Amino acid sequence: MNALIYKTLIPSISLRLSTRLTLILNSFLHFKAPLPRAMSSYSPQQVFQLKLDPLTGNSEWVVIQDSDELPECSKEPLLASTSYLDMLNDSHRNKAFRLAIDKTVTKPCHVLDIGAGTGLLSMMAARAMGLNGRVTACESYLPMAKLMRKVLHRNGIGKNINLINKRSDELEVGVDIPSRADVLVSEILDSELLGEGLIPTLQHAHDKLLVENPLTVPYRAVTYGQLVESPYLWKLHDLFGSEAKASDGIHLVPTGLETVIHFKLQQHPMHCDAIRKEIKLLSEPFKIFEFDFWKRPDSHGKTKVQIKMTDTGCIHAVVSWWILQLDREGTVFYSTAPSWISSAAKIGSGNWCDHWKQCVWFLRGKGMPVSEGEEVLLEATHEETSVSYNLSVLGSQTDIREHDQRIGDFQLLVSPERIATYGDSEWRLSMLAAVRKALQGRVNPLCVVADDSIFLTLLAANLSKTSHVISLFPGLRDKGAKYVETVAKANAFSMDRVEVPEKWKACLTMLDTHGKKVDLLIGEPYYYANEGMLPWQNLRFWRDRTLLDPVLSEDALIMPCKGILKACAMSLPDLWNSRCCLGEVEGFDHSVVNTTLGACGELPAPKESPCLPFCVWQCGEIKELSEIFTILEFDFLKLMTSCYGKAQVQFTEHGICHGFVLWMDWVMDAENSIVVSTRPDHRYWKQGVKLLTKPVAVGIHGSKTTNEFGSTIIEAFFDPSSSELIIKHTFS
């Protein structure tokens, strides 16, 4: 893994010791996050890995030494949240690189592999050359370099490959490597193509590490795009338009402040095949940028593309993808195109994988209305690690039709899914009904918003003109305070009734509440730093409620009052295949990486695959095989404690069960009449997925065949001291 510029994606932070400190940020999301280069593979070193406890918001440094064994930072394997396993299970990718390397490396030479990972490309190059060649493998992230050593040792090829645990821009000819390399093999690509630092990495390699006119695998990458209309994509970015249809009187984005809540202007990775039925294609695919690996790329580039509309509609987004030409002759390709592109399956893609998706660039506001035959000008700009777009209608008097909104001095950046949640009428009505019921009959109530919910803050202040609201905003902090101050007037309350403590505290005192007991403790729950994590990690609300117990009044109302862990047995063939244990990958044994990468399959006892977060509706082929059932309930009216639950489930469909999908339902009122669910068909949340060691044939009880199971028993144990939820299952 190589990157010269790092994306700041919390909650994982790595820090290394060297002559200077290099701070980088990783992610628990499912793609290859940029990771740091460390020092020489043979020098004493250690990496500090920051482990975040989502239940408490606290973090601790875990030291990773340059020793044989990787540490167990938690019950989840160290690299389970990366996309390495998914990549290595992508047979199309692996075969394409093998074919291209065999065509390119035809004689002994010096090959440089930047971002070597498990060493697959390095081993391919060493095998193609035979005994007389030389491979330099550059892998910066110490845990990955340690894993690569194990793979090389298992395959008996360690002597042929020089593994250097440094960033590629720290390599020096004559110090780390004896000479410039003749061939570059590298796979430092993300869904956007450039996000892992491809351009600066290639620039440095051509300047300092490669011969003139080197051979490269890949040879070239070309990005493509298509203009689309999609109501679903519109909901992910136009909160002002969605909120205009709401009837609750809350204005998260008031008129004149349409962009006060916004998403980051970037391309957002997404499995667009999952919303194919909700997409209307408004143009043919068009070429955007071309990047040649065999020559030094420019840091910045611009292009203009004139596009003729093939249908009438409203442009909500640009969907983009890339095609990789891996060999110089143009016979080996790999594509991340969506399935509706007819050539995609013919040039090396077609299987579902999670490490590379399409990308979506949202147009602001309502989008751009267009007519069939009309021409649109797309202006694309690439920087070193990103691509951006502007659209305008040719012949229009206005320069850019869709950019008609004022950008204020302050913006609260949230995810597209959070924007869609805030604009969802059903969700808003549930919250409105719950808070209105909670406030009923209360005079001068003191309300504490325990989480990062700006919506509940506005709602509590708006519905009760005598309430005093304390919003803790543990993740948003001063950004949340600034936002509430910005929109207070538009929501009919003054800031003397709403406060955000200057310094966040896990528990308040009577001094903080001005000597008054808390009447309402509320949350969605939503924690800014927990987005993309397992759904039950929002049980942090229960912990916060426990810590705040001393300041709660005897009749304090707690919302939500209960959390329910729900589940469903499902067929998930694409996801299971992308996460299953590795054996041989293009002729090289990778079985030693399975436990560390969090694979599902035959693992050494007592190891088992972890529960990981996914947007299940985007996971390729899926099918429910059982009724939705309850495993465990968490009573927030009581103090936090360990919990155990058990459920026996009958299968309702014949099929192959690959695992269990789990989520949280939040019960907002004591009568159980208002429930907010995060189940798979509510597409703005991730669910937890527990994959089976082996897929199991299941059938309907009473009509199942002899080789099918008719039911299963699920057990769950929640341990608040370790923040762990342990899931066990038995088929019968």
Side-chain angles (χ1 to χ4, degrees), residues 84-85 88 94 116-121 123-124 144 147-148 150-152 154-155 581-595 597:
Y84 287 107
L85 182 63
L88 292 166
N94 301 335
T118 63
L120 178 60
L121 305 190
M123 293 187 291
M124 289 178 176
M144 201 68 237
L147 199 58
M148 179 176 172
K150 290 185 176 183
V151 176
L152 296 180
R154 172 61 64 93
N155 288 278
C581 279
L582 299 167
E584 282 201 352
V585 179
E586 294 298 327
F588 297 104
D589 187 352
H590 274 69
S591 59
V592 294
V593 309
N594 287 324
T595 299
L597 297 185

Side-chain angles (χ1 to χ4, degrees), residues 226-228 286 305-307 309 314-318 361-364 367-368 370 375-380 388-394 396 398-403:
Q226 198 165 16
L227 304 181
V228 304
F286 47 85
V305 185
Q306 193 168 316
I307 307 163
M309 295 297 99
C314 186
I315 303 172
H316 292 134
V318 180
W361 174 274
F362 299 111
L363 274 68
R364 291 200 301 269
M368 176 189 287
V370 291
E375 292 191 334
V376 169
L377 182 66
L378 178 138
E379 298 179 78
S388 59
Y389 306 103
N390 262 329
L391 285 175
S392 57
V393 176
L394 292 179
S396 172
T398 56
D399 193 21
I400 303 174
R401 184 185 292 174
E402 82 280 10
H403 290 183

Side-chain angles (χ1 to χ4, degrees), residues 75 77 80 576 579 594-595 598-601 603 606-612 689-693 727 729:
K75 291 185 183 290
W576 195 92
R579 300 292 308 175
N594 287 324
T595 299
C600 60
L603 298 172
K607 303 293 184 181
E608 59 180 50
S609 63
C611 204
L612 294 172
V689 178
K690 178 68 174 179
L691 294 172
L692 303 180
T693 298
I727 307 290
H729 56 83

Side-chain angles (χ1 to χ4, degrees), residues 1 6-14 24-36 49-50 52 76-84 141 196 266 269 357 529-533 579 612-613 686:
M1 180 70 58
Y6 309 115
K7 291 182 177 178
T8 55
L9 295 167
I10 293 173
S12 172
I13 302 176
S14 294
I24 67 97
L25 294 162
N26 294 338
S27 172
F28 284 142
L29 303 177
H30 291 270
F31 60 85
K32 290 193 303 179
L35 298 169
Q49 186 88 11
L50 187 60
L52 176 67
E76 180 182 299
L78 181 65
L79 300 175
S81 298
T82 68
S83 65
Y84 287 107
Y141 186 44
E196 288 191 10
Q266 65 178 38
K357 309 176 181 72
N530 281 16
E531 276 200 284
M533 290 188 176
R579 300 292 308 175
L612 294 172
K686 288 189 175 183

Side-chain angles (χ1 to χ4, degrees), residues 342-626:
S342 59
S343 61
K346 300 177 183 179
I347 59 174
S349 65
N351 61 318
W352 184 90
C353 60
D354 203 41
H355 61 99
W356 286 327
K357 309 176 181 72
Q358 295 77 49
C359 279
V360 174
W361 174 274
F362 299 111
L363 274 68
R364 291 200 301 269
K366 297 178 180 179
M368 176 189 287
V370 291
S371 301
E372 182 179 354
E374 192 171 18
E375 292 191 334
V376 169
L377 182 66
L378 178 138
E379 298 179 78
T381 303
H382 81 75
E383 306 299 334
E384 288 190 337
T385 59
S386 64
V387 178
S388 59
Y389 306 103
N390 262 329
L391 285 175
S392 57
V393 176
L394 292 179
S396 172
Q397 295 300 312
T398 56
D399 193 21
I400 303 174
R401 184 185 292 174
E402 82 280 10
H403 290 183
D404 58 356
Q405 300 178 22
R406 287 172 282 177
I407 304 296
D409 295 331
F410 171 78
Q411 279 191 321
L412 181 64
L413 295 180
V414 299
S415 70
E417 291 76 16
R418 178 78 340 209
I419 285 179
T421 299
Y422 283 150
D424 185 78
S425 58
E426 181 181 346
W427 181 87
R428 290 173 69 116
L429 287 174
S430 294
M431 292 295 170
L432 173 65
V435 174
R436 179 174 284 159
K437 182 183 289 189
L439 288 168
Q440 194 170 13
R442 296 187 180 263
V443 180
N444 301 324
L446 174 59
C447 176
V448 170
V449 180
D451 61 358
D452 286 306
S453 179
I454 54 174
F455 185 80
L456 290 183
T457 299
L458 302 189
L459 197 57
N462 177 274
L463 289 179
S464 173
K465 304 307 179 184
T466 61
S467 64
H468 186 79
V469 181
I470 300 177
S471 292
L472 300 184
F473 291 156
L476 291 175
R477 302 302 308 127
D478 57 338
K479 290 180 290 187
K482 177 66 175 176
Y483 166 79
V484 173
E485 182 181 352
T486 302
V487 302
K489 184 177 180 180
N491 285 278
F493 65 84
S494 59
M495 284 303 294
D496 60 351
R497 293 200 295 112
V498 178
E499 63 176 297
V500 179
E502 291 185 8
K503 293 184 179 180
W504 182 77
K505 297 180 179 180
C507 53
L508 300 177
T509 66
M510 293 297 291
L511 183 63
D512 300 310
T513 61
H514 313 293
K516 180 175 172 57
K517 288 278 189 175
V518 175
D519 300 296
L520 281 79
L521 177 64
I522 63 176
E524 300 181 19
Y526 160 70
Y527 291 91
Y528 191 65
N530 281 16
E531 276 200 284
M533 290 188 176
L534 292 164
W536 50 86
Q537 290 174 334
N538 281 327
L539 287 173
R540 178 177 177 179
F541 176 81
W542 196 11
R543 179 184 179 277
D544 290 345
R545 171 261 181 271
T546 300
L547 293 174
L548 291 168
D549 191 69
V551 296
L552 299 182
S553 64
E554 290 186 3
D555 63 341
L557 187 142
I558 297 171
M559 186 195 95
C561 62
K562 185 191 301 182
I564 304 176
L565 181 65
K566 297 276 190 175
C568 181
M570 295 190 72
S571 176
L572 302 157
D574 293 323
L575 181 59
W576 195 92
N577 288 331
S578 76
R579 300 292 308 175
C580 66
C581 279
L582 299 167
E584 282 201 352
V585 179
E586 294 298 327
F588 297 104
D589 187 352
H590 274 69
S591 59
V592 294
V593 309
N594 287 324
T595 299
T596 305
L597 297 185
C600 60
E602 297 292 345
L603 298 172
K607 303 293 184 181
E608 59 180 50
S609 63
C611 204
L612 294 172
F614 289 94
C615 289
V616 169
W617 67 276
Q618 291 191 44
C619 288
E621 181 183 343
I622 60 174
K623 179 184 177 182
E624 294 183 3
L625 299 175
S626 75

